Amino acid sequence: MKKYRVGIVGATGMVGQRFVSLMDGHPWFELTALAASPRSAGKSYREAVGPRWAMETPMPQKAADMIVLNAADVKSVAAQVDFVFCAVDMKKEEIKALEEAYAKAECPVVSNNSANRSTPDVPMIVPEINAQHLDVIPFQRKRLGTKRGFIAVKSNCSLQSYVPAMHPLMQEFGVSKALVCTYQAISGAGKTFETWPEMLDNVIPYIGGEEEKSEQEPLKLWGKVENGVIVPASSPAITAQCLRVACTNGHMAAVFLSFDKKPSIDEIKEKWASFRGPAQELELPSAPKQFLHYFEQPDRPQTRLDRNLENGMAVSIGRLREDTQYDYKFVCLSHNTLRGAAGGAVLLAELLAAKGYFDK
């Protein structure tokens, strides 16, 4: 695999920082441009981020010395890269305009943002689940009038915990309805305990827009490409409640499922253990060897113990048991800024690279 030149747009925020850390030593991708708001442009990345570096590992030296570009100077950034990751913090319509500007400059965009997730011809990909949705890209290019440029997005971070666990069960047994309660870490809001002290010893039972995303986005993941757009699935019916909890990283979900054809507990565990997707089959660099891990211990998974499983790219599952209202209930956990955000976008970029979408 050849090396691709990579830019990060929105590089100074928490997800942007995670992209920077993941590019350090990546076998396929070489960081060549960092871009952010005009107030950061012209500064070294070290100076622009200052004391706000929130990663567990030190800032990579190469990135620290790079001069930050103005993200709005699309042609200048696009000229230095083969594609960009986008993690900007702007209004939705501004993000859509910026991402389309990069795509129209023939610079593919792999986005962590929500702005284009509902755009019918923009694929929203979890590589193990719906890689076939990349087939919509030629139709998007036709709409945009581009040859290389396009936008691809990853799904909402909280979905990464429970949708992967549901997916292999849906394929054989059919899920008729689902109830999901998510318990989401503060990094999902781009915060640390230093910047959000009111979260210490606290739970906030509201995350703006999160419940709607949790109920609607899975249906796009399970949809089909028809007539140049992605048509969302009509089922299962999902209802969600989302809470912010006092954890640094890691989104947990309590999941309740009813099936068309009720499986046994052993059948469910077997489906989880054997599940593989294109990310594993293609041996993408960031892909977990085992995507879904089931813990037999009654008190697992735990956020602090299990969020970093397989470099934070695997999903942990536990407490599978029968329920009095639904058929079964269980608990899931994923790392929200790795599998759920930057890491999931990097895995998507690896899939795009392996399929040749950055070369056309």
Side-chain angles (χ1 to χ4, degrees):
M1 179 65 67
K2 76 173 190 179
K3 282 261 190 176
Y4 292 91
R5 301 171 303 152
V6 178
I8 300 171
V9 179
T12 58
M14 184 173 287
V15 175
Q17 292 176 29
R18 182 67 77 179
F19 276 124
V20 168
S21 67
L22 291 173
M23 289 301 96
D24 190 34
H26 192 283
W28 294 4
F29 302 149
E30 181 178 0
L31 183 62
T32 56
L34 296 171
S37 66
R39 64 179 177 272
S40 296
K43 300 177 182 177
S44 70
Y45 185 64
R46 181 189 292 106
E47 182 184 4
V49 173
R52 295 181 295 113
W53 181 255
M55 300 298 103
E56 303 88 348
T57 53
M59 183 183 292
Q61 187 62 47
K62 177 183 177 181
D65 294 336
M66 291 176 69
I67 300 301
V68 177
L69 305 174
N70 185 345
D73 192 356
V74 173
K75 288 186 178 180
S76 177
V77 177
Q80 300 182 41
V81 301
D82 295 311
F83 73 95
V84 295
F85 292 113
C86 190
V88 294
D89 183 11
M90 299 162 58
K91 294 179 181 177
K92 183 175 180 177
E93 291 307 314
E94 294 173 343
I95 294 172
K96 289 188 74 170
L98 183 67
E99 291 181 348
E100 284 207 3
Y102 274 93
K104 288 179 178 178
E106 300 294 357
C107 179
V109 177
V110 180
S111 178
N112 183 72
N113 300 300
S114 65
N116 271 301
R117 288 183 198 153
S118 61
T119 305
D121 62 5
V122 170
M124 182 177 70
I125 304 287
V126 176
E128 288 88 349
I129 292 175
N130 64 327
Q132 70 276 12
H133 284 189
L134 295 180
D135 292 344
V136 82
I137 289 176
F139 298 97
Q140 184 196 144
R141 283 172 166 162
K142 184 176 180 180
R143 173 176 65 85
L144 296 175
T146 61
K147 294 181 178 179
R148 282 190 73 248
F150 63 88
I151 303 163
V153 301
K154 52 152 290 298
S155 68
N156 188 42
C157 53
S158 64
L159 272 64
Q160 308 288 334
S161 57
Y162 61 89
V163 167
M166 291 174 62
H167 183 68
L169 307 180
M170 288 179 56
Q171 292 177 310
E172 182 161 341
F173 308 116
V175 175
S176 58
K177 62 178 181 176
L179 165 66
V180 179
C181 297
T182 63
Y183 307 87
Q184 302 184 204
I186 63 172
S187 57
K191 304 285 189 179
T192 65
F193 286 121
E194 288 74 24
T195 60
W196 202 5
E198 57 266 41
M199 270 307 303
L200 285 166
D201 192 29
N202 201 12
V203 173
I204 297 177
Y206 174 74
I207 306 172
E210 198 75 2
E211 286 154 4
E212 294 82 358
K213 295 173 189 174
S214 299
E215 293 169 354
Q216 296 166 10
E217 286 188 18
L219 299 178
K220 183 173 182 178
L221 290 174
W222 291 319
K224 295 180 180 180
V225 177
E226 295 179 359
N227 300 317
V229 297
I230 298 165
V231 179
S234 58
S235 64
I238 302 173
T239 184
Q241 179 118 310
C242 301
L243 296 80
R244 188 74 70 192
V245 297
C247 296
T248 54
N249 295 296
H251 286 357
M252 186 170 282
V255 185
F256 302 75
L257 299 182
S258 289
F259 293 91
D260 298 328
K261 174 187 171 186
K262 185 178 177 180
S264 69
I265 285 180
D266 287 341
E267 285 176 317
I268 293 174
K269 290 180 181 177
E270 190 280 326
K271 286 296 179 186
W272 285 337
S274 63
F275 181 65
R276 289 167 54 84
Q280 287 71 40
E281 293 160 3
L282 293 168
E283 298 182 343
L284 301 179
S286 299
K289 301 298 183 187
Q290 178 75 31
F291 185 26
L292 307 177
H293 290 249
Y294 185 79
F295 288 86
E296 294 288 353
Q297 301 95 315
D299 61 349
R300 302 282 288 278
Q302 292 181 25
T303 300
R304 191 165 60 181
L305 295 179
D306 302 312
R307 62 191 168 200
N308 290 315
L309 188 64
E310 297 217 36
N311 298 314
M313 293 298 289
V315 173
S316 303
I317 313 170
R319 302 206 67 212
L320 173 64
R321 59 218 190 275
E322 292 200 35
D323 183 62
T324 57
Q325 305 297 315
Y326 290 72
D327 288 332
Y328 290 105
K329 54 190 171 187
F330 52 89
V331 174
C332 299
L333 173 72
S334 64
H335 195 302
N336 58 296
T337 68
L338 286 168
R339 167 56 75 164
V346 171
L347 187 64
L348 170 54
E350 292 167 359
L351 176 67
L352 289 161
K355 296 287 188 179
Y357 282 93
F358 298 145
D359 302 322
K360 298 175 183 177

